[in-house]
Amino acid sequence: MRSTEVATGTGLATAVRRLATAGGAGVVVGLVALAGLTLDGTLRAATETTFAVGALLLGFGVLGWSGSVMAGRGIENMQRYMDTGSDWTETDSRRAMARISGFGVGVMLAGSLATVLL
Amino acid sequence: MISKRYIFKRLLLLVPVLFGVATLVFSILHLSPGNPATVVAGQQASAEEIRQVEQRLGLNDPVWVQYGRFMLDAVQLNLGESWVIRKGEPVTSVLRWKFPITLELAVLGQIAGIMFGIPIGIVSAIKQDTITDHLSRVGALSGISIPIFWSGPLVILLFSVSLGWFPTSGRLTQRAYEGGAPQTTGALLVDSLLEGNIIMFIDAAWHLFLPAMVIGIYSMALISRMMRSSMLEVVRQDYIRTAHAKGQGRKITLLKHGLRNALIPVVTVIGIQFGSLLGGAVLTETVFNIRGIGMLLVDAITDGDYPIIQGTVLLFALVFTMVNLIVDLTYSYLDPRIEQ
């Protein structure tokens, strides 16, 4: 019981850390992109574009994540059954998609922060 | 027996899918060039008029406020009002009457695909490498290869123009019904049955036959090929050999023991196909002049009617995920081990 709790806690912490790292990277990239886009046009257009690109990444990541959860096991089994293993696993896919989602949220945050602060 | 926990888990997964689709639609529409306020106000509108439209539609708000408002409204099934096509009419109301038309077409196409595809696949497997098998292979490959925008006009030319067996377009012979079509569900076949109007039912079925067959051909081709290969796979299994050894006839063994197991990959194809049929309905509706959700989407994209585009894409996503859920539940019914 205790070990399960510890394991769950560790898993959750790792997942949160993974999301936070990707989100942080997203904020940094988002701010850089925002600065670059502002030089080329208005701040309003730059924030809109940055936020929309972030939302695009978030949408893609969330869809990919749920797709991995829904069909991941089936794809793994199919690879095993057809003997066409490509090292693709449901867990890896889920983690990658979570990172993309976190990154997207970071970029969106950067766009929103700029609107609020400037 | 399918457990409630499994169904609940699958239903729960619909939430991130719909959230992801809504976010994607929002972002793509905001990344596309052009100012929607100009579309709404008209090309001749002054800057002041455009500014007023922007104010009214909330396009002046920061993008994250617009995103939050869109998501909050979507959760409450408030998809806004049409900007251009049905100006001022709620999107849900527009979709309510357009979607049954497309759904009816897609369901009829799918039924045609299943009704012909599964038996053809089974016969091809049973008569492997015979002339029947070769003919069905040629038919299936033709069905997969020929696009709807080509097969549709050809079918119209042959069956409507040359032979005169079927109407070229529309859903009803309008002159025959002065009171207009019934509006209970929006699906003519169902509505005419509910009204007990057999003549209208036959008329609607007569109009829908060609478009449904055009959609169904592609589906049938894919289902029959999948059914054949899946059946051939099952035929080589030990339990089939055991049934033969115990004296059971070949055809009975295949239909009783083989079919259920062979259906699992076919069900996947049917599920995925249904989504494609909805997409294919866009082309079919255009060819046969059926004003369903496909043509609505094309018009909305042309006119820049963002709320209609968002609503239609969300509806497609919802239907597609629900069909996938039904497919998954069917798996569990066909092979209870899958649930584990």
Side-chain angles (χ1 to χ4, degrees):
Chain A
M1 180 79 180
R2 198 172 167 182
S3 62
T4 316
E5 278 171 11
V6 171
T8 312
T10 314
L12 190 68
T14 314
V16 170
R17 197 165 51 243
R18 196 177 297 128
L19 273 174
T21 314
V27 171
V28 173
V29 172
L31 287 173
V32 171
L34 197 66
L37 286 168
T38 312
L39 286 176
D40 199 37
T42 62
L43 177 67
R44 186 183 163 78
T47 41
E48 284 226 357
T49 309
T50 310
F51 189 91
V53 170
L56 192 71
L57 290 167
L58 172 66
F60 176 76
V62 171
L63 275 182
W65 182 88
S66 37
S68 307
V69 174
M70 266 197 256
R73 290 278 163 81
I75 294 170
E76 278 182 8
N77 287 336
M78 189 186 253
Q79 282 186 345
R80 204 166 29 246
Y81 175 69
M82 296 177 82
D83 199 21
T84 53
S86 62
D87 289 341
W88 185 96
T89 63
E90 184 245 350
T91 316
D92 285 348
S93 172
R94 225 172 352 98
R95 285 177 185 162
M97 290 302 163
R99 282 202 176 98
I100 292 173
S101 304
F103 185 81
V105 171
V107 176
M108 286 165 81
L109 269 176
S112 311
L113 277 174
T115 324
V116 175
L117 297 176
L118 300 173
Chain B
M1 186 66 189
I2 304 158
S3 74
K4 283 178 187 165
R5 188 171 169 271
Y6 181 72
I7 296 173
F8 179 72
K9 195 178 146 195
R10 297 310 311 249
L11 280 174
L12 208 63
L13 269 173
L14 289 182
V15 179
V17 170
L18 291 176
F19 171 78
V21 171
T23 307
L24 267 182
V25 174
F26 178 87
S27 65
I28 289 169
L29 287 179
H30 275 76
L31 283 172
S32 56
N35 182 3
T38 317
V39 177
V40 178
Q43 293 299 323
Q44 308 298 324
S46 64
E48 176 56 25
E49 283 171 328
I50 292 172
R51 202 191 57 76
Q52 281 175 357
V53 172
E54 281 179 342
Q55 190 77 29
R56 184 165 56 84
L57 299 175
L59 297 171
N60 274 338
D61 296 331
V63 64
W64 55 272
V65 174
Q66 291 181 49
Y67 175 71
R69 192 169 48 221
F70 168 65
M71 294 306 267
L72 218 64
D73 285 347
V75 168
Q76 296 167 38
L77 292 179
N78 174 15
L79 300 171
E81 292 174 353
S82 168
W83 290 352
V84 186
I85 297 172
R86 300 273 186 93
K87 214 166 186 172
E89 193 176 335
V91 173
T92 42
S93 163
V94 178
L95 297 179
R96 159 73 185 84
W97 294 112
K98 289 287 183 186
F99 185 63
I101 299 170
T102 304
L103 188 67
E104 186 176 45
L105 195 61
V107 168
L108 286 175
Q110 189 70 291
I111 289 172
I114 294 169
M115 267 176 60
F116 292 105
I118 290 181
I120 289 173
I122 294 172
V123 171
S124 290
I126 293 173
K127 296 182 182 294
Q128 191 189 1
D129 293 332
T130 62
I131 187 76
T132 318
D133 185 25
H134 296 318
L135 278 176
S136 83
R137 182 181 296 135
V138 171
L141 288 176
S142 308
I144 293 170
S145 314
I146 299 173
I148 290 172
F149 58 80
W150 194 67
S151 63
L154 277 189
V155 164
I156 291 175
L157 272 176
L158 179 64
F159 291 103
S160 303
V161 179
S162 298
L163 297 171
W165 290 354
F166 295 98
T168 50
S169 61
R171 297 170 70 215
L172 271 182
T173 312
Q174 289 298 333
R175 282 169 297 175
Y177 311 101
E178 286 177 1
Q183 295 277 309
T184 314
T185 62
L188 271 180
L189 291 178
V190 180
D191 284 352
S192 53
L193 278 182
L194 288 175
E195 280 202 354
N197 193 338
I198 298 299
I199 294 170
M200 189 181 281
F201 177 82
I202 293 168
D203 189 36
W206 184 51
H207 276 78
L208 284 170
F209 185 82
L210 280 189
M213 287 311 288
V214 166
I215 290 189
I217 287 170
Y218 181 76
S219 182
M220 177 199 75
L222 221 57
I223 291 171
S224 68
R225 294 315 292 164
M226 185 53 83
M227 188 74 224
R228 179 187 178 274
S229 57
S230 181
M231 202 70 179
L232 285 173
E233 184 78 28
V234 167
V235 166
R236 297 186 188 108
Q237 299 297 315
D238 288 342
Y239 59 85
I240 297 286
R241 202 174 301 126
T242 308
H244 279 314
K246 286 167 81 178
Q248 197 167 45
R250 187 160 182 258
K251 282 180 186 171
I252 294 174
T253 310
L254 284 176
L255 295 177
K256 196 175 172 187
H257 300 290
L259 184 60
R260 186 163 169 167
N261 288 299
L263 271 176
I264 294 173
V266 179
V267 167
T268 315
V269 170
I270 291 171
I272 295 167
Q273 268 300 298
F274 194 76
S276 310
L277 288 186
L278 285 174
V282 176
L283 285 169
T284 317
E285 284 172 10
T286 312
V287 172
F288 287 91
N289 191 27
I290 297 170
R291 301 208 70 81
I293 212 159
M295 277 185 90
L296 178 78
L297 183 61
V298 173
D299 289 345
I301 292 168
T302 313
D303 295 340
D305 200 334
Y306 282 16
I308 295 274
I309 302 173
Q310 285 170 339
T312 311
V313 175
L314 274 178
L315 185 65
F316 271 143
L318 182 68
V319 173
F320 198 74
T321 42
M322 288 309 287
V323 169
N324 268 295
L325 174 68
I326 294 167
V327 166
D328 283 354
L329 297 181
T330 315
Y331 283 161
S332 309
Y333 169 74
L334 290 169
D335 186 352
R337 289 171 300 177
I338 287 172
E339 202 178 319
Q340 309 305 319

